[in-house]
Amino acid sequence: MRLKDKVYLYIEELISNGKLKSGDPIVETVFAERLHVSRTPVREALKDLENDGFVISYPGKGTFVRQITTKDIENIYDVRSSLEVLALEKSFDSLDEYILLNLKEKYINLEKNFSWEIARKLDEDFHNYFINKANNETLSEILIKLNKQVSVYRTIASKDPNRSEKTINEHMKIIEAISRKDKDLAIEALKIHLDSVKKSAIEASLM
């Protein structure tokens, strides 16, 4: 892995888990020293992070974690919902019952011993599974880039005290509908889930 990619992943994780918050400055020299690299890979990583919507640079002022507005959340989830529904429609008939059962068991275990770190990973695994099974490279590429930004909104939404219970129940309903081969119900459950996360993120962003 290239140095700039390692720096990218390190900073992305800090933003995604909320350790770096909206508006926080990102100083090249600080991260270069922390990661024992020169400023060049840090600078390159910050350019990629800006392209992916994580940070914003101002000439003469520096680079900062991008401020998130309610409109940003609405826009990204509206687009995500439309594209993920398309991915589910295209992948529906090829989804594997064994993998679905395995995902269901993981959500049952999550309910018994909840962790946001595990929940976020499981959420990514579940959504990426049917996105990849859609067998549409263009759709996958767009959603992969989009879902990088979604990781920040997931962290915001997790501030909702009821979000942990909601995320388990919502995913279980989607999985159960797919297992029953009920495409319409699965799509409706997916829409409800994504709208629920959007509302939780918007409410949390206003706190």
Side-chain angles (χ1 to χ4, degrees), residues 81 163 170 173-174 185-198:
S81 182
R163 189 66 230 157
E170 290 161 8
K173 286 179 180 178
I174 301 169
L185 184 60
I187 289 171
E188 183 61 23
L190 176 61
K191 289 179 179 178
I192 289 171
H193 163 59
L194 294 175
D195 188 60
S196 177
V197 181
K198 178 175 76 172

Side-chain angles (χ1 to χ4, degrees), residues 12-21 68 77 116 120 149-160 163 197 200-201 204:
E12 179 196 19
E13 178 63 20
L14 291 177
I15 296 172
S16 297
N17 64 25
K19 291 182 179 178
L20 277 175
K21 298 177 172 56
I68 296 171
Y77 270 96
W116 271 116
R120 279 193 288 267
Q149 295 180 41
V150 167
S151 63
V152 180
Y153 305 134
R154 284 194 189 101
T155 301
I156 296 172
S158 68
K159 295 177 183 177
D160 178 349
R163 189 66 230 157
V197 181
S200 290

Side-chain angles (χ1 to χ4, degrees), residues 61-84:
K61 293 183 179 180
T63 302
F64 303 82
V65 178
R66 186 165 171 249
Q67 294 276 5
I68 296 171
T69 67
T70 55
K71 189 62 177 176
D72 290 332
I73 297 171
E74 288 178 357
N75 288 344
I76 202 164
Y77 270 96
D78 287 347
V79 173
R80 181 190 179 194
S81 182
S82 296
L83 294 180
E84 285 207 8

Side-chain angles (χ1 to χ4, degrees), residues 4-51:
K4 76 161 188 170
D5 296 328
K6 290 181 179 180
V7 176
Y8 178 105
L9 291 173
Y10 179 79
I11 297 175
E12 179 196 19
E13 178 63 20
L14 291 177
I15 296 172
S16 297
N17 64 25
K19 291 182 179 178
L20 277 175
K21 298 177 172 56
S22 295
D24 283 353
I26 300 179
V27 182
E28 288 181 14
T29 53
V30 171
F31 283 93
E33 291 174 6
R34 186 183 300 180
L35 298 173
H36 306 291
V37 297
S38 70
R39 292 177 61 181
T40 300
V42 177
R43 190 177 303 115
E44 291 173 346
L46 290 178
K47 286 181 182 178
D48 290 343
L49 286 162
E50 185 166 21
N51 289 335

Side-chain angles (χ1 to χ4, degrees), residues 72-154:
D72 290 332
I73 297 171
E74 288 178 357
N75 288 344
I76 202 164
Y77 270 96
D78 287 347
V79 173
R80 181 190 179 194
S81 182
S82 296
L83 294 180
E84 285 207 8
V85 165
L86 177 61
L88 183 57
E89 287 176 339
K90 288 186 170 295
S91 65
F92 194 84
D93 294 332
S94 61
L95 298 178
D96 186 273
E97 183 65 29
Y98 176 78
I99 293 176
L100 292 171
L101 180 61
N102 182 255
L103 286 166
K104 185 175 181 179
E105 288 176 351
K106 287 181 178 179
Y107 273 107
I108 291 171
N109 291 331
L110 181 64
E111 189 172 23
K112 295 175 183 175
N113 186 23
F114 190 86
S115 158
W116 271 116
E117 183 178 354
I118 296 173
R120 279 193 288 267
K121 179 64 169 62
L122 189 51
D123 181 77
E124 289 174 6
D125 289 346
F126 172 67
H127 289 271
N128 286 339
Y129 172 57
F130 67 80
I131 289 169
N132 291 331
K133 292 292 282 187
N135 197 28
N136 183 316
E137 288 185 8
T138 302
L139 181 61
S140 294
E141 286 173 4
I142 294 171
L143 277 169
I144 285 170
K145 183 171 183 178
L146 193 66
N147 282 332
K148 283 184 177 181
Q149 295 180 41
V150 167
S151 63
V152 180
Y153 305 134
R154 284 194 189 101

